[in-house]
Amino acid sequence: MLPAGDVMALSKDLVHKIRKTHGDEKIILSLEEKGFCVSLLKNGKTMELEARKVTDFTGMIKAGSVSWADYIVDDLKNDAPRIASSLGFSETLVNSLIRGNRGSYEDMDSEMGIYIPAIIVNGFDVKIEYLLILLRAGLVLTIHTTEVKRFFRLRRYAKIFMRKIKPNIAPTDKLTLVLIRIIDENNARNFDHLREIETNSDQLSEKLSDIKAPREEIGKDIHMMKHALITYLGGLWETVDVLNSLRYGDPELLTDDQKILQRLGALAMEVNYQIGLAEHMSDVVASGLEVIQSIYNNQLQILNNKLAMLVAYLTVIGTAVLVPNTIATALSNPAFNMGPQDAGWYTVLLIGSTVISTWVAYWWVKSKGLLPSRADHGD
């Protein structure tokens, strides 16, 4: 059996190999290690650990002045109370946060919690998952499902971030700085998805510009795009509500240092700015759709005008043929006793009646406005 040190070294080598081959998001799924913890020790050094059981972090959390633990669960509402209670949080706090379907904030003096949206975008399929953040003295715990893939990079650089926290500042300052970094990372991942929605909207606009595109598909795509924007904006508005509650709630666990609190306010300002961008994008998309709809209406009007012109010409031609045909039918009756000697004036009569009836039919159709002009049918 390998010594404990060799096993840890082997695990680290495996982690780096998987990161290089598959990327950060494959690490936990490959090693089946759902938990990660990093601590800033009282002597200023940092320590990190990946584990399958959240209870493995207890010793490191006690030894650190401030710690961040991240744990992935299969079902947030069912598994979060058990995981949180393993690290000393009350189930009452967790249940009060996750019982609703919206972001929320709870402060119980010695512990507090934040339930904040984590937006996931796949094409025009926008889902609002949630990130649970729990705080008590010396610990920030984040719990989320496997779909919320946003802390793999932060895990990788967690020790670097922890080293930047000064060991001699107040414990509440340390806890607040860790919380701000986690919320900032969550917001950044949410903001990235607006770019994806914008890219998909541009592809839809290109599809709309093709007059041969199936109309039934376009209608569905337009609805999905609008729904995606509405859902995305809903997630951002929930985030703003939670951040404002956090800013003005004056929790005991967080700092009173105004410089640090300004960073918390900056997070809310960034979300408001992102909301403005999303709403502006919605306006641009809506105006673009109106232009495209006008183009389609114009094309349809041109087609209708061409059909109207075709009907008018057919009316003229039908009328022109009908008059000489009627004359010829009448004169073919034996009562008129026509012979070869009548061929000359008969031919003149047919030609003349055709010309006159054509001119009369054309003049009547044009005088009634039934014949569109060349400008109307786009020629």
Side-chain angles (χ1 to χ4, degrees), residues 205-220:
S205 297
E206 183 179 357
K207 186 177 180 180
L208 287 170
S209 64
D210 183 7
I211 60 175
K212 296 181 180 179
R215 297 295 182 268
E216 60 275 5
E217 292 184 9
I218 289 177
K220 184 178 180 181

Side-chain angles (χ1 to χ4, degrees), residues 134-177:
L134 303 174
L135 294 90
R136 62 173 176 81
L139 174 63
V140 179
L141 171 65
T142 54
I143 305 175
H144 54 87
T145 63
T146 54
E147 291 185 280
V148 184
K149 299 174 182 177
R150 51 196 58 207
F151 289 137
F152 293 105
R153 186 172 62 180
L154 186 58
R155 286 186 179 192
R156 192 172 182 178
Y157 301 105
K159 291 179 72 173
I160 298 175
F161 162 68
M162 283 292 187
R163 289 194 194 105
K164 294 180 180 180
I165 300 176
K166 298 178 182 179
N168 57 348
I169 62 176
T172 54
D173 293 353
K174 296 177 184 177
L175 203 66
T176 306
L177 289 172

